[in-house]
Every structure is written in structure tokens, then in C-alpha cells.
Amino acid sequence: MEYDKICDEILECDGKIRYVGIYDYGELYDKMKQGLKSHLSREETEISLSQAVYRWSTRKKTSEKIGRPIFALAKYEKIFRITIPIGGAGLILISTELDVDVNEIVDKILKIKNKYS
């Protein structure tokens, strides 16, 4: 999959997106909005993503009963964080500003993801 291209498209689809990372098979492809500083170091980001992969695997265990997970959302004091599955075991991780319509952003991201799936 063209992860760098997907990161670029997602980052450009909305001005409120701060960061996009795709974590798949132990590799991290990521882009930060130009002019912004990351809240987490590269190492902290990779640890956070590996934890997100684990959490995602637990969500899939109930999919036969409640349906396939589409995205997960967490609100922090400084950002929204959206997690969306991609590929075999991969995840897209997006952080946004707080003054966004999360559903609108998720819809944009899903369209981009589906273009490459």
C-alpha cells in the first residue's frame, strides 16, 4: 500500500488535522502538519501505536456480536485522537485540534482509505 501517499492525502483533507501515522507490520509512516510541534516524541508515538494495535485487536473479538469496528475516538485535553484500521493488521492514527466535527473528519478519512483498500 502507498502509505506515504495516504498520509499526505489525509493530512491535506482538513486543516484541523495535526498528525497522521500509519502503523503496519512494525513500520511507522507518518506526517505532521507543517509548522506544528508534536506533543509526543517519536519513541512515545511508536509505543502509543503499539498499544493502539493491541486495543484494536481486543475490539475485533466482539465483532461477531456487535459488528466490525470502524473507528475509535479518544478525547484528550489537547487533541482528539482517531484510530482506523487499514490493511491486514495496520492502523491509521490521526490527531486533530479540538474544534472539529469528528464525524466529518472520519468520513473524509474513510473515503481516502477506501480508495486504497
Side-chain angles (χ1 to χ4, degrees):
M1 240 186 249
E2 301 174 62
Y3 291 142
D4 284 326
K5 192 172 180 181
I6 296 170
C7 285
D8 285 335
E9 283 191 44
I10 291 173
L11 197 58
E12 293 169 8
C13 81
D14 194 290
K16 297 291 184 172
I17 295 176
R18 298 177 48 86
Y19 169 85
V20 178
I22 299 177
Y23 189 74
D24 200 11
Y25 299 108
E27 295 291 322
L28 174 60
Y29 307 84
D30 63 346
K31 303 275 176 156
M32 186 79 184
K33 183 176 177 181
Q34 195 169 4
L36 294 182
K37 187 174 184 235
S38 178
H39 293 296
L40 302 177
S41 71
R42 178 80 175 186
E43 182 181 346
E44 290 168 329
T45 298
E46 288 178 357
I47 290 168
S48 180
L49 276 164
S50 66
Q51 293 168 344
V53 167
Y54 173 76
R55 286 190 303 275
W56 200 263
S57 71
T58 63
R59 287 184 186 100
K60 292 193 299 188
K61 290 179 182 179
T62 57
S63 64
E64 285 188 26
K65 294 184 178 185
I66 60 174
R68 176 179 58 88
I70 312 261
F71 74 95
L73 173 67
K75 183 177 181 181
Y76 295 86
E77 290 178 341
K78 297 181 180 182
I79 62 165
F80 277 119
R81 187 164 171 187
I82 305 162
T83 311
I84 298 173
I86 190 167
L91 285 180
I92 304 172
L93 179 77
I94 303 100
S95 66
T96 72
E97 303 296 346
L98 291 173
D99 60 338
V100 298
D101 179 334
V102 175
N103 287 315
E104 182 180 303
I105 287 194
V106 168
D107 287 344
K108 290 177 184 179
I109 295 164
L110 290 175
K111 283 179 188 170
I112 293 167
K113 177 196 125 173
N114 291 338
K115 228 170 57 168
Y116 292 92
S117 295

